[in-house]
Amino acid sequence: MPGNNQADPARPIIEVQQLRKSFGSLEVLKQVTFNVNPGEAVAVIGPSGSGKSTMLRSLVHLEEVNGGSIIIQGKPLVWDGKYAGGAEVKQITAAMGMVFQHFNLFPHLTVRGNLELAPRTLKRESVKAITARSMDLLRKVGLEDKAEVYPSLLSGGQKQRVAIARALMLNPDILLFDEPTSALDPELTGEVLRVIRQLAEENMTMIVVTHEMNFARDVADRVIFMDNGEIAESGTPEQLFGNPQLARTRAFLQRE
């Protein structure tokens, strides 16, 4: 099992090796291997049912894999199918923030209450500092005026921007997005993608599972195409969109 080489700037921040996952007899992930470097924005594309969301959820231990290794900042979350201890799993996954397809906001809390719940529960800093950061993040996503509003009064795009701000509240080193715009009307998609684009420009390390091909082409440093539970092809946006090597990649891109 590898040690913690977090201080090594040349080491990828995420290392995934030979990842396997099955639901019963259905093999959802088949020997998935890839790395993500610090500050890199990686878009993951592919047809429904190709394993994209399962792969992403496995990185934060929302899915348990059946084999393979996941190493985050030099620390093994799972190594050759064996997970780290509970406290260590919690410490490793705390480096990552997750933004879900359906927002997952608490309806009984205001926008600010949603942002501040986790940091207040952890009690690592003063209430004043937490409130100052929540308001800074709401300004960042253009929703400072919605701080005391409840989620039921927000549009889908506003809810997703709140969800992004909430994911940023614990200062994660890595952000994971699972189809962040697929539940939105097309006219609301742009406001969410603008926030994610801004984070990419600030060199936030991100993996974005998305069906927005223009976004993947314009914003990602690298694009991974998944199909049938495996990484079929990956490369820069110029390579993958401009000169895909596989027939199934070309067929997928022509459909989109």
Side-chain angles (χ1 to χ4, degrees):
M1 185 177 291
N4 177 13
N5 288 335
Q6 186 175 349
D8 181 1
R11 182 168 190 165
I13 194 169
I14 299 172
E15 300 167 81
V16 176
Q17 301 166 1
Q18 304 293 311
L19 211 60
R20 302 192 312 278
K21 169 70 177 177
S22 297
F23 293 110
S25 61
L26 178 64
E27 200 176 11
V28 183
L29 297 178
K30 306 171 185 176
Q31 310 289 343
V32 170
T33 297
F34 69 95
N35 293 337
V36 178
N37 295 314
E40 192 175 24
V42 176
V44 183
I45 63 173
S48 297
S50 59
K52 305 184 301 296
S53 292
T54 301
M55 178 277 292
L56 196 73
R57 290 169 63 86
S58 70
L59 299 181
V60 282
H61 200 224
L62 292 174
E63 298 282 2
E64 286 214 355
V65 298
N66 303 118
S69 303
I70 300 171
I71 303 157
I72 306 294
Q73 295 180 319
K75 299 176 184 177
L77 172 68
V78 56
W79 181 255
D80 199 17
K82 297 180 180 65
Y83 277 88
E88 198 168 357
V89 166
K90 190 175 284 189
Q91 181 190 25
I92 292 167
T93 56
M96 294 176 279
M98 180 96 174
V99 179
F100 298 91
Q101 181 176 342
H102 292 291
F103 328 128
N104 291 7
L105 299 178
F106 293 107
H108 65 289
L109 296 177
T110 63
V111 164
R112 189 164 65 85
N114 268 278
L115 265 66
E116 296 179 9
L117 178 63
R120 284 180 183 240
T121 302
L122 292 170
K123 296 180 179 174
R124 291 177 185 158
E125 58 189 327
S126 70
V127 171
K128 184 177 179 182
I130 292 168
T131 299
R133 190 162 71 259
S134 68
M135 294 308 296
D136 281 345
L137 286 170
L138 288 175
R139 271 191 290 277
K140 184 184 187 77
V141 300
L143 292 171
E144 183 184 10
D145 60 331
K146 303 293 185 185
E148 306 307 326
V149 168
Y150 287 89
S152 62
L153 298 175
L154 300 178
S155 71
Q158 290 170 331
K159 289 176 186 175
Q160 194 60 292
R161 284 186 282 155
V162 171
I164 294 170
R166 181 179 61 180
L168 291 166
M169 275 297 288
L170 294 176
N171 296 316
D173 296 314
I174 300 160
L175 268 187
L176 308 176
F177 294 86
D178 188 9
E179 296 279 13
T181 61
S182 64
L184 302 179
D185 294 331
E187 64 269 21
L188 300 176
T189 295
E191 65 191 57
V192 174
L193 294 179
R194 275 193 296 276
V195 173
I196 302 174
R197 183 189 298 268
Q198 181 184 350
L199 292 169
E201 290 170 354
E202 294 168 1
N203 294 318
M204 168 64 78
T205 304
M206 300 189 294
I207 302 178
V208 186
V209 171
T210 184
H211 63 280
E212 297 286 343
M213 295 302 112
N214 287 335
F215 175 78
R217 183 186 288 111
D218 295 343
V219 176
D221 298 304
R222 185 154 46 95
V223 181
I224 291 172
F225 170 60
M226 288 188 70
D227 187 33
N228 196 30
E230 58 190 3
I231 293 177
E233 190 168 349
S234 69
T236 66
E238 293 78 14
Q239 290 168 338
L240 200 113
F241 289 104
N243 187 28
Q245 298 301 297
L246 300 179
R248 56 177 163 165
T249 312
R250 290 193 293 272
F252 172 76
L253 293 174
Q254 284 164 6
R255 287 197 305 270
E256 291 297 312

